[in-house]
Amino acid sequence: MTIIYCCQLELHDSVYFATREIGRLYETEPVIHNYALCYALGLVDSEIYATTVAQEDSYRYFCPEQVPKYEEHLTPLNNQGIYVTPAHSINHTSVLNTWKYANNNYHVEMEKTQKNIPSFGRAKEIAPESQFEFFIISQKDIELKGKLPKWIRLGKWMSKAEVEIHQITKFELKTNDFTFPHPLNPLDVMFTHQVVSYDVINMPPVSLIQNVTIRKGEFYQFENPFNSEKLRIPAKMEYRFKG
């Protein structure tokens, strides 16, 4: 049994993560990667959702090394039939913050500087009250298993965001040519669908695609409960890690 959840989140703090670095400017793209959402929603390494991982890959209590283990952490979600799409902006504004830093060594040998220029940078962040939307496709009612959180943390500053979730009660599974306007993870969709055209959103760890046109693919057709927009979202998506 397939269940689709339409989720909207509203930022209560400014959100920062370095999508791209342009000289001293660190820019945050108004898109939230589906990997980040899985962690923020508490779906990774969870006893509630039966997605626990091996002890050496444990995420819940202590990470012995700062090395991403996306394959080890997200494969259990495939086994449970849980998939989260990236989040696109419904409306957003950006703020530009300038920061400076200095050398805090306790002992410094006085040397003549070559240039009297302070070390600084600028961070382009997504402002509070910005809103995003994403979808969860699950083969079981994860709301019954354990309530999905109303509040989550996002980005480098662990910024606070409020989540509103609506279960989509009416949808159809069809096969035809279709276009999905919002971001998708290309690794998760290209193995099961013939992707004809798309626009690229450059961001780590896997660049996303949007305005995706698919030929003769399976999709779920439904009406967005928030705005009555009619959508066709690809079916059979799951996390993949090798192109």
Side-chain angles (χ1 to χ4, degrees), residues 103-147:
N103 191 326
N104 291 324
N105 292 343
Y106 291 106
H107 173 74
V108 179
E109 293 184 10
M110 299 301 292
E111 297 179 359
K112 186 177 180 179
T113 58
Q114 298 298 316
K115 295 181 179 179
N116 186 23
I117 300 176
S119 296
F120 70 95
R122 292 186 175 92
K124 186 177 180 181
E125 304 176 4
I126 307 301
E129 299 186 3
S130 297
Q131 294 178 308
F132 292 81
E133 182 177 69
F134 62 96
F135 303 93
I136 301 175
I137 303 171
S138 177
Q139 299 309 309
K140 57 187 69 175
D141 192 341
I142 54 179
E143 283 282 89
L144 291 178
K145 280 274 189 176
K147 271 286 187 184

Side-chain angles (χ1 to χ4, degrees), residues 159-218:
S159 306
K160 191 175 183 180
E162 183 179 5
V163 183
E164 183 178 354
I165 302 170
H166 281 204
Q167 182 174 324
I168 296 169
T169 56
K170 295 182 180 180
F171 62 87
E172 298 176 277
L173 179 61
K174 296 185 175 183
T175 301
N176 207 337
D177 298 349
F178 69 99
T179 298
F180 186 69
H182 307 310
L184 293 172
N185 188 319
L187 291 179
D188 303 343
V189 71
M190 286 184 166
F191 286 91
T192 52
H193 295 78
Q194 184 181 355
V195 177
V196 179
S197 63
Y198 53 85
D199 300 325
V200 176
I201 305 172
N202 290 310
M203 62 186 304
V206 178
S207 291
L208 304 178
I209 55 177
Q210 64 182 358
N211 298 320
V212 183
T213 300
I214 292 175
R215 180 173 296 157
K216 296 297 181 182
E218 284 192 54

Side-chain angles (χ1 to χ4, degrees), residues 9-241:
L9 62 87
E10 180 175 344
L11 304 184
H12 284 238
D13 298 312
S14 61
V15 167
Y16 165 73
F17 50 87
T19 306
R20 64 178 64 87
E21 300 178 12
I22 309 170
R24 294 182 184 268
L25 174 64
Y26 301 85
E27 186 173 0
T28 304
E29 185 79 25
V31 174
I32 303 173
H33 207 287
N34 60 335
Y35 291 178
L37 286 170
C38 289
Y39 288 95
L41 290 166
L43 297 173
V44 172
D45 198 12
S46 167
E47 292 181 353
I48 295 174
Y49 302 108
T51 59
T52 52
V53 300
Q55 185 174 357
E56 60 269 22
D57 301 322
S58 179
Y59 178 77
R60 284 177 289 171
Y61 306 113
F62 173 68
C63 297
E65 53 184 357
Q66 297 299 313
V67 178
K69 294 187 175 182
Y70 300 123
E71 185 169 0
E72 292 83 356
H73 289 166
L74 298 178
T75 297
L77 273 70
N78 287 341
N79 299 336
Q80 296 302 315
I82 301 171
Y83 185 81
V84 182
T85 71
H88 65 274
S89 166
I90 301 172
N91 62 76
H92 77 277
T93 54
S94 298
V95 292
L96 192 62
N97 293 321
T98 300
W99 46 266
K100 298 180 180 180
Y101 63 89
N103 191 326
N104 291 324
N105 292 343
Y106 291 106
H107 173 74
V108 179
E109 293 184 10
M110 299 301 292
E111 297 179 359
K112 186 177 180 179
T113 58
Q114 298 298 316
K115 295 181 179 179
N116 186 23
I117 300 176
S119 296
F120 70 95
R122 292 186 175 92
K124 186 177 180 181
E125 304 176 4
I126 307 301
E129 299 186 3
S130 297
Q131 294 178 308
F132 292 81
E133 182 177 69
F134 62 96
F135 303 93
I136 301 175
I137 303 171
S138 177
Q139 299 309 309
K140 57 187 69 175
D141 192 341
I142 54 179
E143 283 282 89
L144 291 178
K145 280 274 189 176
K147 271 286 187 184
L148 288 167
K150 180 176 176 59
W151 300 96
I152 62 174
R153 299 280 180 175
L154 293 168
K156 295 289 187 181
W157 312 144
M158 297 296 287
S159 306
K160 191 175 183 180
E162 183 179 5
V163 183
E164 183 178 354
I165 302 170
H166 281 204
Q167 182 174 324
I168 296 169
T169 56
K170 295 182 180 180
F171 62 87
E172 298 176 277
L173 179 61
K174 296 185 175 183
T175 301
N176 207 337
D177 298 349
F178 69 99
T179 298
F180 186 69
H182 307 310
L184 293 172
N185 188 319
L187 291 179
D188 303 343
V189 71
M190 286 184 166
F191 286 91
T192 52
H193 295 78
Q194 184 181 355
V195 177
V196 179
S197 63
Y198 53 85
D199 300 325
V200 176
I201 305 172
N202 290 310
M203 62 186 304
V206 178
S207 291
L208 304 178
I209 55 177
Q210 64 182 358
N211 298 320
V212 183
T213 300
I214 292 175
R215 180 173 296 157
K216 296 297 181 182
E218 284 192 54
F219 60 88
Y220 298 109
Q221 181 172 285
F222 57 88
E223 187 175 279
N224 189 317
F226 288 99
N227 56 20
S228 299
E229 177 188 17
K230 291 185 177 179
L231 286 176
R232 297 173 175 180
I233 187 170
K236 296 182 177 179
M237 287 190 291
E238 64 177 16
Y239 301 102
R240 294 178 182 266
F241 310 95

